[in-house]
Amino acid sequence: MPERDVTVGQLLLAEYQSVKDEQKARIGFRDNLLYVTLAVVAAVIAATAQAKQPAMLLALPPVCLVLGWTYLVNDEKISAIGLYVRDSLGPRLAGLAAHEEDFATFGWEAYHRSDTRRRSRKTIQTVIDLTAFCAVPLAALVVFWVNGDAGRLLLALSVVEALAVAGLASQVVWYAKAA
């Protein structure tokens, strides 16, 4: 069996396929996190209403924090993969393949970012992310504070949760601005 040499171009295309597969998997996982968050919120609210125990609402902030942070990290990696393809992988492959000027590889990676409504979509998505992962748990805390007859320990816990949710909210806004 003769040996086959692997070209740099083949390696770059294999790397492209690999990072795009990772990006696709991360997009699916990230998008499902919103549905999981909605299901958890509904379950906690239903259980709280049924048990008539406002302290149960204290479960929402940690769950929303974990899901929200996981969402944010995956979203950042999805964007990082796109940036890598646009700014590193694509130009290296174009340099190997092209002998004409203005040749661009993986044009969709840049083209879809030039949509005139992209900024408004990103703003709306940021509002959705803030609502799902931050406003909902903060509302649960407000309901707890208004209706709960909790001791100092649960009150202190709720304040720590509120600060953590505010920290997540700042990260959501910061990452949205960075994108």
Side-chain angles (χ1 to χ4, degrees):
M1 176 180 264
E3 287 187 35
R4 293 186 180 194
D5 290 331
V6 176
T7 67
V8 173
Q10 289 170 325
L11 288 173
L12 291 175
L13 286 173
E15 182 182 10
Y16 170 76
Q17 187 61 52
S18 176
V19 296
K20 290 306 281 187
D21 287 346
E22 178 183 348
Q23 187 181 48
K24 184 170 59 171
R26 285 183 177 275
I27 288 169
F29 182 72
R30 177 203 61 192
D31 292 352
N32 283 329
L33 285 171
L34 278 172
Y35 302 125
V36 170
T37 301
L38 290 173
V40 168
V41 166
V44 170
I45 290 172
T48 301
Q50 186 175 14
K52 297 181 181 167
Q53 294 290 325
M56 292 175 69
L57 291 172
L58 294 179
L60 274 181
V63 170
C64 288
L65 282 168
V66 169
L67 293 171
W69 183 252
T70 305
Y71 179 94
L72 191 62
V73 167
N74 272 282
D75 192 58
E76 189 279 327
K77 295 299 180 209
I78 291 163
S79 296
I81 289 169
L83 181 65
Y84 175 71
V85 169
R86 281 190 313 278
D87 292 354
S88 180
L89 194 56
R92 288 180 7 222
L93 193 56
L96 291 174
H99 297 289
E100 53 189 82
E101 303 222 4
D102 296 330
F103 178 78
T105 55
F106 314 127
W108 174 250
E109 297 291 338
Y111 178 79
H112 79 278
R113 299 175 60 81
S114 64
D115 179 11
T116 57
R117 291 180 285 181
R118 183 173 189 273
R119 176 173 254 176
S120 65
R121 280 195 316 276
K122 290 299 246 178
T123 300
I124 291 167
Q125 187 62 53
T126 301
V127 169
I128 290 169
D129 296 347
L130 285 170
T131 300
F133 301 116
C134 302
V136 168
L138 287 176
L141 289 170
V142 169
V143 170
F144 169 75
W145 292 327
V146 170
N147 295 313
D149 270 340
R152 288 184 184 174
L153 186 60
L154 286 181
L155 186 59
L157 175 64
S158 70
V159 170
V160 170
E161 288 180 345
L163 292 172
V165 171
L168 177 62
S170 71
Q171 291 297 301
V172 168
V173 171
W174 188 81
Y175 275 100
K177 285 182 180 179

